[in-house]
Amino acid sequence: MAAALNRSSRSDRDRRPSPDALLAEARRADGHGDARRGRLKIFLGAAPGVGKTYEMLTAARARLREGLDVVAGVIETHGRAETQALVEGLELIPRRLIDYKGGSLDEMDLDALIARRPAVALVDELAHTNAPGSRHPKRHQDVEELLAAGIDVYSTLNIQHVESLNDVVAQITRVRVRETVPDSVLDMADDIEVIDIAPGDLLRRLREGKIYRPEHAARALNSFFTAGNLTALRELALRRTAQSVDDQLLNHMQAHAIAGPWAAGERVVVCISEDPRCAGLVRYAKRLADRLRAPWVALAVEGRRSLQLTDVERDRVADTLRLADRLGGEAVTVPAAGGRVADDVIAYARDNNVTHIVTGKSERSKLFELLHGSVVQDLVRRSGNISVHVIAGDAAADGAPVPKKTVGAAAERRSFDARPFVAAAVAVAVALGISEVVQRFFAVQTVEVVFITAVVVVAVRYGLFPSLAAVVAGSLCYNFFFLPPIYTFTIADPSNIAALFFFTVVAVLVSNLAARTRSEAVIARGRARSTEALYGFSRKLASCGNLDDVLWATVFQIASMLKVRVVILLPEAGGLALRAGYPPEDQIDEADLGAATWCFDNDRPAGRGADTLPGARRLFLPMHTGRGCIGVVGIDGDAPGPLLTPERRRLLDALSDQGGLAVERVRLVEDLDRAKLLTETDRLRQALLTSISHDLRTPLASVLGAASTLRDLDDALDADAKAELLATVIDEAERLNRFIANLLDMTRLEAGAVAPNLGEHDAGEIVGTALRRAGKILTAHRVDVEVAPDLPPLDVDAVLFEQALFNLLDNAAKYAPEGTAIRVQTWGEGRRVHVQVLDEGDGIPEGDVERIFDKFYRARKGDRVRAGTGLGLAIARGFVEAMGGTLAASNRTDRRGAAFTLSFEAPARARRAGAAA
């Protein structure tokens, strides 16, 4: 009954849609509004000239006739008249010109196309590499931005440009294609239409000059365009499309909870256990999948029985799964759902549209199958329209014969531990003592509950076999001490025989269920611990700000969770360099370095336990991110045999992937910082050159002009003219001196060399000194000064304070029209003293209130504004903040103009003196 209920609940659960499939389908569905993602349709061909662009334009014209807004972003007709005829009448976005090495290149205008927002955009040649200076390096990234903007896209692609097929195409055609697109681009396509043409027809089109010019066609016929090459490329295109369609079919079945399989495509699953013959099953599954040209999976079910396996058996399962990986299959481990193993296999097969299941022939006894059931019989009985292949298998993985008594069971058991059985005996003895007390006050049936409770406690704590021992001991105690005649194993009343029988049956069932629950709880706790550790690791990586911290956190986490020694090597100076290790290591030997280098270059495991360079001390595994292999993780341990079980390998992969992503994140941040620094440096360099070219040349030109006039026309000039020329020389020299001083002051600020010489000074005196120094600058303005009489002295550097005020006055004189007033006022407010400079200019443009303090930044200005470097305000703020004050800018509220306010906190002793007064 319980098994039937379990199967029923499992069946209900299997009919539920997959959340992941529903999410994927929702992403593909048409939406509305700004959140809608565009749909991508790819016209896929086996080679140039098959008619991809022609078919795309034909489909676009059909959509245009339906009333949709279709716009061509980029179309490559290659001079073909029939293709050019289809372009006529379509709206074409003009291409954007990009300067490159003295010439110009034209590229699709992505911004114009997004601003136009058509219903369908035509973007030819998806694998195209954009010209330097474009927003994205590849055209498929432009397409992704169009899709994100809610625009449907039609595009074209040849199969040789798919990244995963690049090596295969190079082997077939002996031509290495440089422009590729990631496989994920094909995976995100909503529709793929194969444009197919027979190789003979394509060769005829080539000879007729419909693909290339005659001089190019002859060369193509002798290299790329051969009948064999085209046939192979045609098969690749059809198979890659079939794979995408098969994935969409599987997603549709999972999203709509359709019970499979639909035999639209073949899939093979081989069942893996600790049986030594499973290696032979894997090889058979490989041969079967090759005959069917189908993907295949090696499946291991991890349940209660997995906890009872010996280390040798666990390693055997791991070796078999690694064999599947090496043979090109996919190794998968699924947790048991609590029922029979066959139920888990069938559930996986139906969820993944599997059409063939390969399993080993059972050689267990009839009695064993009667008591425990047969996985093979259950698979055959419940497989429905899934084909089940039952294979004998006559040799172990190492070629040695398998003794029949060990087939399907553990050949080696763990050493016997008597402590659980002693604990079971103690639990029964305690239950017996409690029962002796309980029976004096309640009926004898209550004793059964006490003994069953003891059985449940033993089952939950120690598992199945100790609980069965408790059942036997409890049944004997119940018979001997509580069923009359007591203190004998004889039962006089037939009803007591039935009571003992049903007590024993119930105790066995309860112990079995409790033990199963315990084993599932143990597995769940282990998975929860791993999940919690991975979550904690991800949070730790998120808080790491530099590469060394990320690498140290990664090696420590791997070492602590897998109990191994760990090193990480990253590419550096043309080779691999040891960057982190736990326990810390300074270097690795030549054998390990060679294995690590081979692993990095070939993106495959190497070293201890691997197929390549197995003599190395460590096992090296590549660290992957979306950009490929970025480094190598090396592990070693003291225990003999394989370093990683399937569970530990999955855990290592998860940790390595997280660490790799964190490394990439840190490097991206560093690249971004460097790019920002280079951009800022270039901006400052341009601003400095512009400022120097103007602010040096202008005063120098005035000085040279006045000096030359004095030299050449000295006798012809009167005293007033000479005095005016000398004044010009002095004024322009002072202006030049201020410019040089500003540059030197900014250099001191950036170098941290400004050390204020603080002392108590009167704010009014410093204001007066600054005004006298700026007298010449302020001659064209009316200056109003209002200094509060009761201000406390300020703890400032008088020289820096004066320079800051001078820069503010100079700024006011530049930006305020002649004849307007410049006002300087001071006042106290609580603990702070404020000094404010106000002008009657146009004020500060909105958005520039803070930017005016940036180096070399100057607000918008008219022709009347005197030239400047854009450093004065930046220096003023730097000096004020170095003395512990603040400098803020704002626009006046009473009239037009700007206001700059310096604020300082009065010294504590000055405040106390003022309070006492």
Side-chain angles (χ1 to χ4, degrees), residues 807-839:
N807 287 356
L808 295 179
L809 293 170
D810 183 41
N811 181 78
K814 290 176 182 177
Y815 286 89
E818 293 183 3
T820 59
I822 295 177
R823 182 178 181 82
V824 181
Q825 60 185 16
T826 65
W827 73 95
E829 185 178 3
R831 299 181 176 181
R832 301 191 70 82
V833 174
H834 305 283
V835 179
Q836 192 172 58
V837 178
L838 303 98
D839 62 52

PDB file of all heavy atoms in Angstrom, residues 807-839:
ATOM      1  N   ASN A 807      42.014  82.455  -5.145  1.00  0.00           N
ATOM      2  CA  ASN A 807      41.482  81.704  -6.284  1.00  0.00           C
ATOM      3  C   ASN A 807      39.995  81.943  -6.458  1.00  0.00           C
ATOM      4  O   ASN A 807      39.490  82.040  -7.584  1.00  0.00           O
ATOM      5  CB  ASN A 807      41.758  80.211  -6.117  1.00  0.00           C
ATOM      6  CG  ASN A 807      43.213  79.863  -6.332  1.00  0.00           C
ATOM      7  OD1 ASN A 807      44.019  80.728  -6.678  1.00  0.00           O
ATOM      8  ND2 ASN A 807      43.571  78.605  -6.114  1.00  0.00           N
ATOM      9  N   LEU A 808      39.258  82.045  -5.344  1.00  0.00           N
ATOM     10  CA  LEU A 808      37.823  82.322  -5.434  1.00  0.00           C
ATOM     11  C   LEU A 808      37.569  83.723  -5.974  1.00  0.00           C
ATOM     12  O   LEU A 808      36.651  83.941  -6.784  1.00  0.00           O
ATOM     13  CB  LEU A 808      37.164  82.150  -4.063  1.00  0.00           C
ATOM     14  CG  LEU A 808      37.167  80.728  -3.475  1.00  0.00           C
ATOM     15  CD1 LEU A 808      36.511  80.717  -2.104  1.00  0.00           C
ATOM     16  CD2 LEU A 808      36.452  79.761  -4.405  1.00  0.00           C
ATOM     17  N   LEU A 809      38.341  84.714  -5.520  1.00  0.00           N
ATOM     18  CA  LEU A 809      38.192  86.078  -6.023  1.00  0.00           C
ATOM     19  C   LEU A 809      38.553  86.145  -7.501  1.00  0.00           C
ATOM     20  O   LEU A 809      37.894  86.855  -8.287  1.00  0.00           O
ATOM     21  CB  LEU A 809      39.072  87.030  -5.210  1.00  0.00           C
ATOM     22  CG  LEU A 809      38.666  87.221  -3.734  1.00  0.00           C
ATOM     23  CD1 LEU A 809      39.755  87.975  -2.985  1.00  0.00           C
ATOM     24  CD2 LEU A 809      37.329  87.955  -3.639  1.00  0.00           C
ATOM     25  N   ASP A 810      39.624  85.455  -7.902  1.00  0.00           N
ATOM     26  CA  ASP A 810      40.020  85.414  -9.302  1.00  0.00           C
ATOM     27  C   ASP A 810      38.914  84.809 -10.157  1.00  0.00           C
ATOM     28  O   ASP A 810      38.601  85.291 -11.253  1.00  0.00           O
ATOM     29  CB  ASP A 810      41.314  84.613  -9.433  1.00  0.00           C
ATOM     30  CG  ASP A 810      41.829  84.584 -10.862  1.00  0.00           C
ATOM     31  OD1 ASP A 810      41.764  85.631 -11.537  1.00  0.00           O
ATOM     32  OD2 ASP A 810      42.270  83.509 -11.316  1.00  0.00           O
ATOM     33  N   ASN A 811      38.288  83.738  -9.662  1.00  0.00           N
ATOM     34  CA  ASN A 811      37.189  83.101 -10.384  1.00  0.00           C
ATOM     35  C   ASN A 811      36.007  84.061 -10.524  1.00  0.00           C
ATOM     36  O   ASN A 811      35.375  84.154 -11.582  1.00  0.00           O
ATOM     37  CB  ASN A 811      36.773  81.826  -9.644  1.00  0.00           C
ATOM     38  CG  ASN A 811      35.649  81.088 -10.351  1.00  0.00           C
ATOM     39  OD1 ASN A 811      35.871  80.388 -11.334  1.00  0.00           O
ATOM     40  ND2 ASN A 811      34.429  81.243  -9.856  1.00  0.00           N
ATOM     41  N   ALA A 812      35.691  84.775  -9.432  1.00  0.00           N
ATOM     42  CA  ALA A 812      34.573  85.726  -9.492  1.00  0.00           C
ATOM     43  C   ALA A 812      34.845  86.831 -10.498  1.00  0.00           C
ATOM     44  O   ALA A 812      33.953  87.267 -11.241  1.00  0.00           O
ATOM     45  CB  ALA A 812      34.323  86.306  -8.100  1.00  0.00           C
ATOM     46  N   ALA A 813      36.079  87.318 -10.551  1.00  0.00           N
ATOM     47  CA  ALA A 813      36.408  88.383 -11.490  1.00  0.00           C
ATOM     48  C   ALA A 813      36.278  87.924 -12.927  1.00  0.00           C
ATOM     49  O   ALA A 813      35.913  88.714 -13.818  1.00  0.00           O
ATOM     50  CB  ALA A 813      37.834  88.882 -11.214  1.00  0.00           C
ATOM     51  N   LYS A 814      36.574  86.661 -13.201  1.00  0.00           N
ATOM     52  CA  LYS A 814      36.487  86.133 -14.559  1.00  0.00           C
ATOM     53  C   LYS A 814      35.043  85.985 -15.018  1.00  0.00           C
ATOM     54  O   LYS A 814      34.707  86.274 -16.174  1.00  0.00           O
ATOM     55  CB  LYS A 814      37.185  84.772 -14.647  1.00  0.00           C
ATOM     56  CG  LYS A 814      38.690  84.819 -14.516  1.00  0.00           C
ATOM     57  CD  LYS A 814      39.256  83.406 -14.529  1.00  0.00           C
ATOM     58  CE  LYS A 814      40.770  83.411 -14.338  1.00  0.00           C
ATOM     59  NZ  LYS A 814      41.309  82.042 -14.279  1.00  0.00           N
ATOM     60  N   TYR A 815      34.178  85.537 -14.135  1.00  0.00           N
ATOM     61  CA  TYR A 815      32.837  85.156 -14.558  1.00  0.00           C
ATOM     62  C   TYR A 815      31.784  86.236 -14.276  1.00  0.00           C
ATOM     63  O   TYR A 815      30.616  86.035 -14.621  1.00  0.00           O
ATOM     64  CB  TYR A 815      32.427  83.838 -13.878  1.00  0.00           C
ATOM     65  CG  TYR A 815      33.131  82.648 -14.473  1.00  0.00           C
ATOM     66  CD1 TYR A 815      34.362  82.221 -13.984  1.00  0.00           C
ATOM     67  CD2 TYR A 815      32.587  81.972 -15.556  1.00  0.00           C
ATOM     68  CE1 TYR A 815      35.019  81.142 -14.541  1.00  0.00           C
ATOM     69  CE2 TYR A 815      33.233  80.899 -16.124  1.00  0.00           C
ATOM     70  CZ  TYR A 815      34.453  80.479 -15.614  1.00  0.00           C
ATOM     71  OH  TYR A 815      35.093  79.417 -16.180  1.00  0.00           O
ATOM     72  N   ALA A 816      32.137  87.353 -13.616  1.00  0.00           N
ATOM     73  CA  ALA A 816      31.185  88.440 -13.366  1.00  0.00           C
ATOM     74  C   ALA A 816      31.463  89.595 -14.324  1.00  0.00           C
ATOM     75  O   ALA A 816      32.624  89.949 -14.561  1.00  0.00           O
ATOM     76  CB  ALA A 816      31.292  88.920 -11.921  1.00  0.00           C
ATOM     77  N   PRO A 817      30.442  90.183 -14.909  1.00  0.00           N
ATOM     78  CA  PRO A 817      30.655  91.301 -15.838  1.00  0.00           C
ATOM     79  C   PRO A 817      31.328  92.479 -15.142  1.00  0.00           C
ATOM     80  O   PRO A 817      31.201  92.675 -13.927  1.00  0.00           O
ATOM     81  CB  PRO A 817      29.230  91.659 -16.296  1.00  0.00           C
ATOM     82  CG  PRO A 817      28.407  90.445 -15.993  1.00  0.00           C
ATOM     83  CD  PRO A 817      29.018  89.808 -14.790  1.00  0.00           C
ATOM     84  N   GLU A 818      32.037  93.257 -15.937  1.00  0.00           N
ATOM     85  CA  GLU A 818      32.705  94.441 -15.376  1.00  0.00           C
ATOM     86  C   GLU A 818      31.663  95.407 -14.814  1.00  0.00           C
ATOM     87  O   GLU A 818      30.580  95.583 -15.368  1.00  0.00           O
ATOM     88  CB  GLU A 818      33.540  95.143 -16.449  1.00  0.00           C
ATOM     89  CG  GLU A 818      34.730  94.331 -16.918  1.00  0.00           C
ATOM     90  CD  GLU A 818      35.569  95.100 -17.918  1.00  0.00           C
ATOM     91  OE1 GLU A 818      35.231  96.275 -18.184  1.00  0.00           O
ATOM     92  OE2 GLU A 818      36.555  94.530 -18.434  1.00  0.00           O
ATOM     93  N   GLY A 819      32.004  96.062 -13.696  1.00  0.00           N
ATOM     94  CA  GLY A 819      31.120  97.005 -13.053  1.00  0.00           C
ATOM     95  C   GLY A 819      30.179  96.388 -12.037  1.00  0.00           C
ATOM     96  O   GLY A 819      29.509  97.112 -11.289  1.00  0.00           O
ATOM     97  N   THR A 820      30.100  95.058 -11.986  1.00  0.00           N
ATOM     98  CA  THR A 820      29.243  94.407 -10.991  1.00  0.00           C
ATOM     99  C   THR A 820      29.996  94.279  -9.677  1.00  0.00           C
ATOM    100  O   THR A 820      31.213  94.458  -9.600  1.00  0.00           O
ATOM    101  CB  THR A 820      28.802  93.017 -11.476  1.00  0.00           C
ATOM    102  OG1 THR A 820      29.983  92.217 -11.709  1.00  0.00           O
ATOM    103  CG2 THR A 820      28.000  93.117 -12.761  1.00  0.00           C
ATOM    104  N   ALA A 821      29.237  93.945  -8.646  1.00  0.00           N
ATOM    105  CA  ALA A 821      29.815  93.875  -7.301  1.00  0.00           C
ATOM    106  C   ALA A 821      30.262  92.455  -6.984  1.00  0.00           C
ATOM    107  O   ALA A 821      29.618  91.476  -7.364  1.00  0.00           O
ATOM    108  CB  ALA A 821      28.792  94.337  -6.266  1.00  0.00           C
ATOM    109  N   ILE A 822      31.391  92.356  -6.302  1.00  0.00           N
ATOM    110  CA  ILE A 822      31.864  91.093  -5.718  1.00  0.00           C
ATOM    111  C   ILE A 822      31.862  91.286  -4.206  1.00  0.00           C
ATOM    112  O   ILE A 822      32.497  92.209  -3.693  1.00  0.00           O
ATOM    113  CB  ILE A 822      33.271  90.729  -6.229  1.00  0.00           C
ATOM    114  CG1 ILE A 822      33.225  90.459  -7.733  1.00  0.00           C
ATOM    115  CG2 ILE A 822      33.806  89.525  -5.476  1.00  0.00           C
ATOM    116  CD1 ILE A 822      34.572  90.163  -8.347  1.00  0.00           C
ATOM    117  N   ARG A 823      31.147  90.425  -3.536  1.00  0.00           N
ATOM    118  CA  ARG A 823      30.923  90.610  -2.102  1.00  0.00           C
ATOM    119  C   ARG A 823      31.641  89.511  -1.328  1.00  0.00           C
ATOM    120  O   ARG A 823      31.566  88.335  -1.696  1.00  0.00           O
ATOM    121  CB  ARG A 823      29.437  90.581  -1.794  1.00  0.00           C
ATOM    122  CG  ARG A 823      29.088  90.804  -0.323  1.00  0.00           C
ATOM    123  CD  ARG A 823      27.567  90.809  -0.127  1.00  0.00           C
ATOM    124  NE  ARG A 823      27.226  91.036   1.253  1.00  0.00           N
ATOM    125  CZ  ARG A 823      27.165  92.225   1.839  1.00  0.00           C
ATOM    126  NH1 ARG A 823      27.456  93.318   1.125  1.00  0.00           N
ATOM    127  NH2 ARG A 823      26.829  92.364   3.105  1.00  0.00           N
ATOM    128  N   VAL A 824      32.352  89.893  -0.257  1.00  0.00           N
ATOM    129  CA  VAL A 824      33.000  88.942   0.658  1.00  0.00           C
ATOM    130  C   VAL A 824      32.410  89.186   2.040  1.00  0.00           C
ATOM    131  O   VAL A 824      32.452  90.321   2.546  1.00  0.00           O
ATOM    132  CB  VAL A 824      34.528  89.138   0.687  1.00  0.00           C
ATOM    133  CG1 VAL A 824      35.154  88.110   1.628  1.00  0.00           C
ATOM    134  CG2 VAL A 824      35.112  89.018  -0.714  1.00  0.00           C
ATOM    135  N   GLN A 825      31.855  88.151   2.638  1.00  0.00           N
ATOM    136  CA  GLN A 825      31.249  88.302   3.959  1.00  0.00           C
ATOM    137  C   GLN A 825      31.603  87.110   4.833  1.00  0.00           C
ATOM    138  O   GLN A 825      31.835  86.006   4.340  1.00  0.00           O
ATOM    139  CB  GLN A 825      29.727  88.439   3.837  1.00  0.00           C
ATOM    140  CG  GLN A 825      29.037  87.241   3.182  1.00  0.00           C
ATOM    141  CD  GLN A 825      27.541  87.484   2.982  1.00  0.00           C
ATOM    142  OE1 GLN A 825      27.072  88.616   3.048  1.00  0.00           O
ATOM    143  NE2 GLN A 825      26.811  86.417   2.757  1.00  0.00           N
ATOM    144  N   THR A 826      31.666  87.355   6.138  1.00  0.00           N
ATOM    145  CA  THR A 826      31.959  86.299   7.101  1.00  0.00           C
ATOM    146  C   THR A 826      30.927  86.355   8.211  1.00  0.00           C
ATOM    147  O   THR A 826      30.413  87.434   8.546  1.00  0.00           O
ATOM    148  CB  THR A 826      33.366  86.472   7.694  1.00  0.00           C
ATOM    149  OG1 THR A 826      33.391  87.683   8.455  1.00  0.00           O
ATOM    150  CG2 THR A 826      34.437  86.530   6.614  1.00  0.00           C
ATOM    151  N   TRP A 827      30.639  85.206   8.792  1.00  0.00           N
ATOM    152  CA  TRP A 827      29.724  85.160   9.943  1.00  0.00           C
ATOM    153  C   TRP A 827      29.939  83.857  10.701  1.00  0.00           C
ATOM    154  O   TRP A 827      30.521  82.897  10.199  1.00  0.00           O
ATOM    155  CB  TRP A 827      28.270  85.305   9.492  1.00  0.00           C
ATOM    156  CG  TRP A 827      27.699  84.079   8.801  1.00  0.00           C
ATOM    157  CD1 TRP A 827      26.987  83.079   9.356  1.00  0.00           C
ATOM    158  CD2 TRP A 827      27.832  83.750   7.406  1.00  0.00           C
ATOM    159  NE1 TRP A 827      26.655  82.143   8.420  1.00  0.00           N
ATOM    160  CE2 TRP A 827      27.148  82.545   7.205  1.00  0.00           C
ATOM    161  CE3 TRP A 827      28.464  84.381   6.312  1.00  0.00           C
ATOM    162  CZ2 TRP A 827      27.079  81.927   5.959  1.00  0.00           C
ATOM    163  CZ3 TRP A 827      28.380  83.769   5.080  1.00  0.00           C
ATOM    164  CH2 TRP A 827      27.704  82.565   4.905  1.00  0.00           C
ATOM    165  N   GLY A 828      29.506  83.848  11.928  1.00  0.00           N
ATOM    166  CA  GLY A 828      29.584  82.655  12.756  1.00  0.00           C
ATOM    167  C   GLY A 828      28.215  82.012  12.892  1.00  0.00           C
ATOM    168  O   GLY A 828      27.184  82.683  12.930  1.00  0.00           O
ATOM    169  N   GLU A 829      28.207  80.695  12.997  1.00  0.00           N
ATOM    170  CA  GLU A 829      26.957  79.950  13.114  1.00  0.00           C
ATOM    171  C   GLU A 829      27.217  78.723  13.979  1.00  0.00           C
ATOM    172  O   GLU A 829      27.787  77.734  13.505  1.00  0.00           O
ATOM    173  CB  GLU A 829      26.434  79.535  11.739  1.00  0.00           C
ATOM    174  CG  GLU A 829      25.076  78.861  11.793  1.00  0.00           C
ATOM    175  CD  GLU A 829      24.575  78.502  10.398  1.00  0.00           C
ATOM    176  OE1 GLU A 829      25.320  78.727   9.417  1.00  0.00           O
ATOM    177  OE2 GLU A 829      23.453  78.017  10.297  1.00  0.00           O
ATOM    178  N   GLY A 830      26.863  78.837  15.247  1.00  0.00           N
ATOM    179  CA  GLY A 830      27.127  77.734  16.158  1.00  0.00           C
ATOM    180  C   GLY A 830      28.621  77.538  16.337  1.00  0.00           C
ATOM    181  O   GLY A 830      29.369  78.458  16.710  1.00  0.00           O
ATOM    182  N   ARG A 831      29.071  76.339  16.070  1.00  0.00           N
ATOM    183  CA  ARG A 831      30.486  76.016  16.225  1.00  0.00           C
ATOM    184  C   ARG A 831      31.310  76.337  14.982  1.00  0.00           C
ATOM    185  O   ARG A 831      32.521  76.117  14.977  1.00  0.00           O
ATOM    186  CB  ARG A 831      30.642  74.536  16.552  1.00  0.00           C
ATOM    187  CG  ARG A 831      29.976  74.115  17.848  1.00  0.00           C
ATOM    188  CD  ARG A 831      30.215  72.631  18.083  1.00  0.00           C
ATOM    189  NE  ARG A 831      29.664  72.197  19.369  1.00  0.00           N
ATOM    190  CZ  ARG A 831      29.749  70.945  19.834  1.00  0.00           C
ATOM    191  NH1 ARG A 831      30.379  70.034  19.103  1.00  0.00           N
ATOM    192  NH2 ARG A 831      29.224  70.632  20.997  1.00  0.00           N
ATOM    193  N   ARG A 832      30.670  76.796  13.916  1.00  0.00           N
ATOM    194  CA  ARG A 832      31.382  76.964  12.648  1.00  0.00           C
ATOM    195  C   ARG A 832      31.464  78.430  12.259  1.00  0.00           C
ATOM    196  O   ARG A 832      30.601  79.255  12.611  1.00  0.00           O
ATOM    197  CB  ARG A 832      30.707  76.172  11.525  1.00  0.00           C
ATOM    198  CG  ARG A 832      30.639  74.677  11.817  1.00  0.00           C
ATOM    199  CD  ARG A 832      30.231  73.895  10.600  1.00  0.00           C
ATOM    200  NE  ARG A 832      31.269  73.883   9.579  1.00  0.00           N
ATOM    201  CZ  ARG A 832      32.316  73.059   9.566  1.00  0.00           C
ATOM    202  NH1 ARG A 832      32.484  72.193  10.554  1.00  0.00           N
ATOM    203  NH2 ARG A 832      33.193  73.104   8.587  1.00  0.00           N
ATOM    204  N   VAL A 833      32.521  78.737  11.503  1.00  0.00           N
ATOM    205  CA  VAL A 833      32.746  80.067  10.948  1.00  0.00           C
ATOM    206  C   VAL A 833      32.703  79.942   9.433  1.00  0.00           C
ATOM    207  O   VAL A 833      33.338  79.045   8.856  1.00  0.00           O
ATOM    208  CB  VAL A 833      34.095  80.646  11.409  1.00  0.00           C
ATOM    209  CG1 VAL A 833      34.370  81.973  10.702  1.00  0.00           C
ATOM    210  CG2 VAL A 833      34.111  80.815  12.909  1.00  0.00           C
ATOM    211  N   HIS A 834      31.953  80.849   8.767  1.00  0.00           N
ATOM    212  CA  HIS A 834      31.765  80.786   7.327  1.00  0.00           C
ATOM    213  C   HIS A 834      32.344  82.033   6.672  1.00  0.00           C
ATOM    214  O   HIS A 834      32.190  83.152   7.165  1.00  0.00           O
ATOM    215  CB  HIS A 834      30.287  80.684   6.978  1.00  0.00           C
ATOM    216  CG  HIS A 834      29.590  79.533   7.652  1.00  0.00           C
ATOM    217  ND1 HIS A 834      29.719  78.238   7.242  1.00  0.00           N
ATOM    218  CD2 HIS A 834      28.760  79.503   8.740  1.00  0.00           C
ATOM    219  CE1 HIS A 834      28.997  77.443   8.014  1.00  0.00           C
ATOM    220  NE2 HIS A 834      28.408  78.192   8.943  1.00  0.00           N
ATOM    221  N   VAL A 835      33.008  81.824   5.536  1.00  0.00           N
ATOM    222  CA  VAL A 835      33.506  82.907   4.695  1.00  0.00           C
ATOM    223  C   VAL A 835      32.924  82.679   3.316  1.00  0.00           C
ATOM    224  O   VAL A 835      33.082  81.591   2.739  1.00  0.00           O
ATOM    225  CB  VAL A 835      35.047  82.931   4.638  1.00  0.00           C
ATOM    226  CG1 VAL A 835      35.521  84.069   3.735  1.00  0.00           C
ATOM    227  CG2 VAL A 835      35.642  83.062   6.031  1.00  0.00           C
ATOM    228  N   GLN A 836      32.250  83.700   2.765  1.00  0.00           N
ATOM    229  CA  GLN A 836      31.531  83.524   1.505  1.00  0.00           C
ATOM    230  C   GLN A 836      31.949  84.590   0.499  1.00  0.00           C
ATOM    231  O   GLN A 836      32.098  85.763   0.837  1.00  0.00           O
ATOM    232  CB  GLN A 836      30.024  83.593   1.746  1.00  0.00           C
ATOM    233  CG  GLN A 836      29.180  83.138   0.566  1.00  0.00           C
ATOM    234  CD  GLN A 836      27.714  83.049   0.925  1.00  0.00           C
ATOM    235  OE1 GLN A 836      27.130  84.045   1.352  1.00  0.00           O
ATOM    236  NE2 GLN A 836      27.133  81.865   0.783  1.00  0.00           N
ATOM    237  N   VAL A 837      32.135  84.150  -0.757  1.00  0.00           N
ATOM    238  CA  VAL A 837      32.438  85.030  -1.879  1.00  0.00           C
ATOM    239  C   VAL A 837      31.276  84.946  -2.849  1.00  0.00           C
ATOM    240  O   VAL A 837      30.948  83.860  -3.349  1.00  0.00           O
ATOM    241  CB  VAL A 837      33.760  84.635  -2.567  1.00  0.00           C
ATOM    242  CG1 VAL A 837      34.027  85.532  -3.773  1.00  0.00           C
ATOM    243  CG2 VAL A 837      34.923  84.695  -1.590  1.00  0.00           C
ATOM    244  N   LEU A 838      30.630  86.076  -3.143  1.00  0.00           N
ATOM    245  CA  LEU A 838      29.477  86.128  -4.024  1.00  0.00           C
ATOM    246  C   LEU A 838      29.768  87.057  -5.191  1.00  0.00           C
ATOM    247  O   LEU A 838      30.427  88.090  -5.026  1.00  0.00           O
ATOM    248  CB  LEU A 838      28.228  86.629  -3.271  1.00  0.00           C
ATOM    249  CG  LEU A 838      27.812  85.847  -2.023  1.00  0.00           C
ATOM    250  CD1 LEU A 838      28.342  86.566  -0.783  1.00  0.00           C
ATOM    251  CD2 LEU A 838      26.302  85.714  -1.944  1.00  0.00           C
ATOM    252  N   ASP A 839      29.299  86.675  -6.377  1.00  0.00           N
ATOM    253  CA  ASP A 839      29.441  87.536  -7.542  1.00  0.00           C
ATOM    254  C   ASP A 839      28.077  87.759  -8.165  1.00  0.00           C
ATOM    255  O   ASP A 839      27.072  87.207  -7.726  1.00  0.00           O
ATOM    256  CB  ASP A 839      30.435  86.935  -8.550  1.00  0.00           C
ATOM    257  CG  ASP A 839      29.973  85.591  -9.098  1.00  0.00           C
ATOM    258  OD1 ASP A 839      28.827  85.506  -9.578  1.00  0.00           O
ATOM    259  OD2 ASP A 839      30.768  84.626  -9.051  1.00  0.00           O
TER     260      ASP A 839
END
